[in-house]
Amino acid sequence: MDLKDNIKQLVEKYFDQVVSLRRQMHSFPELSKQEKETSKLICQELDKLGVRYNNNIYGYGVFGFIDGKNPQKKCVALRADMDALPIKEMTNLPFCSTNEGVMHACGHDMHMASLLGTIKILNDLKDSFEGRVMFIFQPSEEEYPGGAISMLKAGIFNEVKPSAIMAFHCTPEMDCGHIALKEGKLMASTDEIYITIKGKGGHGATPHLDIDPIVAACHVVTALQTIVSRNANPTTPTTFSVGRFIGEGRTNIIPSEVKLECIIRTFDEQWRKRCHELIHQISENTAQAFGAQADVFIDPGYPFVYNNPELTRMVRKAAEEVLPEGFVEEAGMRMTAEDFSYFAEQVPACYFRIGTRKEGAPVANLHTAYFDADENALRTSMLLESYLALKTLE
């Protein structure tokens, strides 16, 4: 039996177990930095296999190794994220979230279950390959500063630095079992912006005695849109959005300040720095034109995700070897962000997407209360993660 058939057989052997694990995780989702029970479940599964690991990394992160023959020869890493989102689930699934107001609405339960299944498969095959596979269960992908950079600072690559790292993400708009990947820039950098417009509050009937931060803030919001429309090179994808506008006045009360919360995302580091300068300049000068003051704080987030071209070509070739014809697609650049980018700065990386669309069901996007995934996608993800790991070790 060749490697592909062997792995496919093991996928079927463990599929029901992995589905059960996914449903357990889905039923008990935990927010960023709170993944205690999730981590406990992962460690229990690893203990059953006798796999060596380290836990409680940056809170509840877990990493470890499956050693094949001659483990010092080469190492490849696989990563899954762990945290859920503060969303009230509305799917009515029989394994719906029991943690009120918290939901695995981004598919991280699928990612973790797939990696556990892959570990089971590779552990069965450990006498048939050389090198070692590193597995990383990463907490807090959804919240700054993110678990990736924090696990790296904790030294998870100190013992062994892998020669490559791979990960995937559920994609509900793609057909189940299809994959999409792209060489080079894939996902955007992200920064959070907090702006306070300070004026002088007072009675709404006497605006001439006040400095109205509402009016100033409205003009700031409008002016900031020119970062994309008039300052960005049209060939460099950039997006700026204001997500919160808080002015605690009333119908007849002008507040003393307004708070804005925003994001900016792009794919070029020099332009990213220039965006920060423009945000300060536009906000401060526009507010000043109305007699107000703008205090700007920019919290730098994740860099953009970059797929190593050589590794990505290898992943594409391997995927085409094990998946039906037409199942491997070209991915487009997305303005979503991922702290997997920190791993990609350390070693050659490939981040790809796996379709989880449920046939005949409406598509519910990621980060929505109705998101669900076709669990048959776990067959594809386990097959790919196992096969890719072993092909990379060759």
Side-chain angles (χ1 to χ4, degrees):
M1 185 182 299
D2 67 12
L3 178 63
K4 289 181 287 187
D5 290 336
N6 202 356
I7 292 174
K8 287 177 180 178
Q9 189 176 81
L10 290 169
V11 166
E12 293 306 314
K13 174 183 176 181
Y14 291 116
F15 179 72
D16 288 343
Q17 292 181 36
V18 171
V19 168
S20 177
L21 286 167
R22 182 256 167 162
R23 294 182 179 184
Q24 283 182 258
M25 292 170 175
H26 192 89
S27 296
F28 300 100
E30 295 173 299
L31 295 173
S32 302
K33 302 176 185 175
Q34 299 176 28
E35 306 95 335
K36 181 178 180 180
E37 294 304 314
T38 304
S39 180
K40 182 179 177 181
L41 175 60
I42 290 168
C43 292
Q44 287 173 345
E45 290 300 310
L46 297 176
D47 286 338
K48 291 176 186 176
L49 298 173
V51 174
R52 68 184 181 102
Y53 65 88
N54 302 272
N55 61 341
N56 300 324
I57 310 298
Y58 182 61
Y60 300 108
V62 180
F63 79 97
F65 301 91
I66 304 162
D67 291 338
K69 298 179 293 185
N70 189 18
Q72 305 300 324
K73 181 181 177 182
K74 195 175 183 181
C75 177
V76 60
L78 301 171
R79 172 268 203 172
D81 34 17
M82 301 168 66
D83 50 336
L85 289 160
I87 293 174
K88 179 178 173 61
E89 183 164 358
M90 303 291 286
T91 63
N92 293 319
L93 291 166
F95 50 91
C96 192
S97 171
T98 59
N99 189 352
E100 183 68 21
V102 182
M103 176 188 175
H104 268 301
C106 201
H108 294 185
D109 52 336
M110 293 282 286
H111 304 168
M112 290 183 286
S114 178
L115 184 52
L116 281 171
T118 301
I119 291 168
K120 292 173 184 289
I121 291 168
L122 294 174
N123 193 54
D124 281 0
L125 297 174
K126 63 185 178 183
D127 293 332
S128 65
F129 68 86
E130 291 193 338
R132 57 164 55 116
V133 178
M134 181 181 191
F135 52 84
I136 302 169
F137 292 92
Q138 178 212 307
S140 192
E141 186 274 329
E142 300 284 359
E143 183 177 292
Y144 289 169
I149 187 67
S150 302
M151 291 187 82
L152 286 167
K153 287 179 178 178
I156 67 167
F157 284 177
N158 286 358
E159 178 185 351
V160 179
K161 189 170 185 177
S163 60
I165 186 168
M166 292 169 283
F168 77 92
H169 203 293
C170 291
T171 306
E173 62 267 29
M174 282 175 55
D175 289 340
C176 179
H178 285 230
I179 81 157
L181 67 168
K182 177 187 178 299
E183 298 175 27
K185 296 177 181 180
L186 180 69
M187 299 172 72
S189 63
T190 181
D191 302 305
E192 293 185 353
I193 301 107
Y194 301 88
I195 304 170
T196 302
I197 309 295
K198 297 180 178 179
K200 179 184 175 185
H203 201 294
T206 57
H208 60 294
L209 301 177
D210 312 326
I211 297 174
D212 191 342
I214 296 283
V215 173
C218 288
H219 282 268
V220 168
V221 169
T222 301
L224 286 170
Q225 304 307 314
T226 64
I227 292 174
V228 177
S229 67
R230 287 297 175 267
N231 289 279
N233 186 323
T235 63
T236 301
T238 309
T239 186
F240 176 88
S241 296
V242 179
R244 296 188 79 188
F245 186 120
I246 306 168
E248 298 286 356
R250 283 178 53 186
T251 55
N252 62 347
I253 299 174
I254 294 173
S256 60
E257 66 178 31
V258 168
K259 291 185 180 293
L260 307 177
E261 297 182 8
C262 329
I263 57 165
I264 193 156
R265 296 186 172 187
T266 188
F267 285 87
D268 182 277
E269 286 301 311
Q270 288 303 116
W271 165 235
R272 184 183 181 190
K273 292 175 185 176
R274 177 60 181 149
C275 286
H276 294 181
E277 295 171 357
L278 287 168
I279 290 166
H280 278 279
Q281 178 183 321
I282 291 171
S283 301
E284 292 161 4
N285 291 347
T286 303
Q288 187 178 21
F290 291 88
Q293 175 187 337
D295 291 342
V296 180
F297 171 68
I298 299 176
D299 191 4
Y302 312 152
F304 61 81
V305 175
Y306 182 82
N307 276 346
N308 177 271
E310 183 180 357
L311 177 63
T312 304
R313 286 192 290 270
M314 187 281 291
V315 171
R316 182 185 299 277
K317 183 176 182 297
E320 289 172 343
E321 290 172 1
V322 294
L323 297 180
E325 186 177 353
F327 272 52
V328 181
E329 304 176 14
E330 181 68 16
M333 295 167 71
R334 289 174 68 128
M335 301 310 292
T336 49
E338 240 285 358
D339 72 345
F340 182 78
S341 55
Y342 288 117
F343 293 123
E345 288 185 329
Q346 297 292 315
V347 297
C350 181
Y351 191 81
F352 54 95
R353 301 175 191 139
I354 294 183
T356 57
R357 178 189 292 148
K358 278 194 165 183
E359 187 175 351
V363 175
N365 203 1
L366 300 170
H367 289 223
T368 68
Y370 297 94
F371 169 75
D372 187 27
D374 188 330
E375 292 170 331
N376 285 303
L378 291 167
R379 287 188 164 93
T380 300
S381 60
M382 287 191 288
L383 171 61
L384 270 180
E385 287 191 295
S386 301
Y387 191 65
L388 291 174
L390 298 187
K391 294 295 286 186
T392 308
L393 289 175
E394 287 181 351

